[in-house]
Amino acid sequence: MSSTLSIINPSNEQVVTTVAMADVEEADRAIQRAAQASRSWRAVTPADRARLLRRFSEVVDSHNEELAQLEVANSGHTIGNARWEAGNVRDVLAYYSGAPERHSGRQIPVAGGVDLTFYEPLGVVGIIAPWNFPMPIAGWGLAPALAAGNTVVLKPATLTPLTALRLAELALEAGIPEGVFQVVAGDGATVGYRFVTHDAVRKVCFTGSNAAGRKIMAGCAEQVKRVTLELGGKSANIIFADADLEKAAASAPYAVFDNAGQDCCARSRILVEVSAYDRFMELLEPAVKGVRVLDPADEASEMGPLITAAQRDSVAAYVEETNVAFRGSAPSGPGYWFAPTVLETPDRTSRAFTEEIFGPVVSVVRFKDEAEALEIANESPYGLSGSIWTRNIARALRVARGVETGALSVNSNSSVRYSTPFGGFKQSGIGRELGPDALLGFSEEKNVFIATEEES
Ligand code: NAD
């Protein structure tokens, strides 16, 4: 039986609205509709599919403020971030609207005939999204999946369904046919896992925790179902003594405290070369104390609350007062607030240094040379993102090649662009999203040989 869930604003603990939660039968009906719609959607000409995606992008753009305000209320994202996130959905749709007409196969020289390859859509794609970036992660899956001729059922995180539900309405408004993109709000273990067990769903794109990701990958194995996993991270921000320390220290807080640290790419381990350590910490302290942790609806806010009280408790459990170097500030009163916190962690086996905290807590350690920096960076089971700060270009390239992670930046902390590939090494995931090749992950390559020998 379906039920309803109250959506709570994490910045004031007020009920925003209630949302109907689907049950397995409703998930089945949505998958059935998607399978039905798949027959006609794959036959839409590439130019028309492109036009529809462009129109969807334009409709999202014209609702940017509405979507952003929904995310502020549902997820506690700062209004500045939420506008960027809605803009990211617009941009990803626009970028992949160029893809249907360019998704061409090959002609391969062979003996006795002509050999052609075609990219066929998979059919129904199931996307399971987390609560930390509801809009961008929906867009990263749905835009290339639709462009490649698939239909999509999307399950937003239980806590944060509002923007995804609105995106489904906007898709219809843009002229995307019924059944091509549907959103089913519901529980992960029932509705989400149905994408894994239902044989009409041909691929699952999962973004979330490693615990759920492992179950999904194991479940997909039953049907040899295609699966992409975008999981956790514990990324290193490596700062060499020859770097622009002022710039590295000024930007380090935003590389981990953005979205209140609830970011898989958070640079939650800062590694500093020993000779620059004291100076770096001197510069970091005012930068951390200067982060404006305010009501996320306030235009000046740079960091909002955590998503739930449970998440706040989980984050707090990592902080041992003896290790706290310094802290920023946070509002008191209602809301799931946690002040930005910097730990000096000499023990590299501690939970705070090894586990993904998913909150505004960062650990700082010293390293003595390049080899030790790489050793510390790579001792994590994760490998999602990271940064390297140095003025030595040769070292930057050497270290970039040495760090076992999918999305690195040098003298910058920005690792996500819709036009470049994104995904993790090791336990941060399997597969890549975004970039010029994303459609390959939503297509089967078919080889067709046509004999040209004369019949005897
Ligand atoms: P989560 O695993 O609890 O939930 C993610 C989604 O999976 C939700 O929609 C949930 O309802 C669903 N789900 C949970 N159990 C399921 C199951 N057994 N079967 C099917 N679906 C299930 O994760 P979360 O707490 O929402 O998100 C935080 C995690 O996501 C963090 O670990 C973070 O690092 C990760 N993340 C990774 C990326 C990336 O791109 N690598 C991006 C964002 C978040």
Side-chain angles (χ1 to χ4, degrees), residues 332-361:
S332 51
Y336 312 122
W337 300 98
F338 197 89
T341 301
V342 177
L343 304 179
E344 283 186 286
T345 321
D347 177 6
R348 277 160 41 197
T349 63
S350 67
R351 257 173 30 93
F353 198 72
T354 55
E355 294 180 14
E356 183 182 46
I357 298 176
F358 227 52
V361 179

Side-chain angles (χ1 to χ4, degrees), residues 409-426:
S409 40
V410 174
N411 297 330
S412 155
N413 295 313
S414 124
S415 48
V416 178
R417 283 173 195 78
Y418 57 80
S419 55
T420 59
F422 178 75
F425 279 32
K426 303 193 282 186

Side-chain angles (χ1 to χ4, degrees), residues 295-308:
D295 175 354
D298 185 329
E299 297 279 340
S301 181
E302 292 180 321
M303 188 185 121
L306 292 166
I307 188 76
T308 55

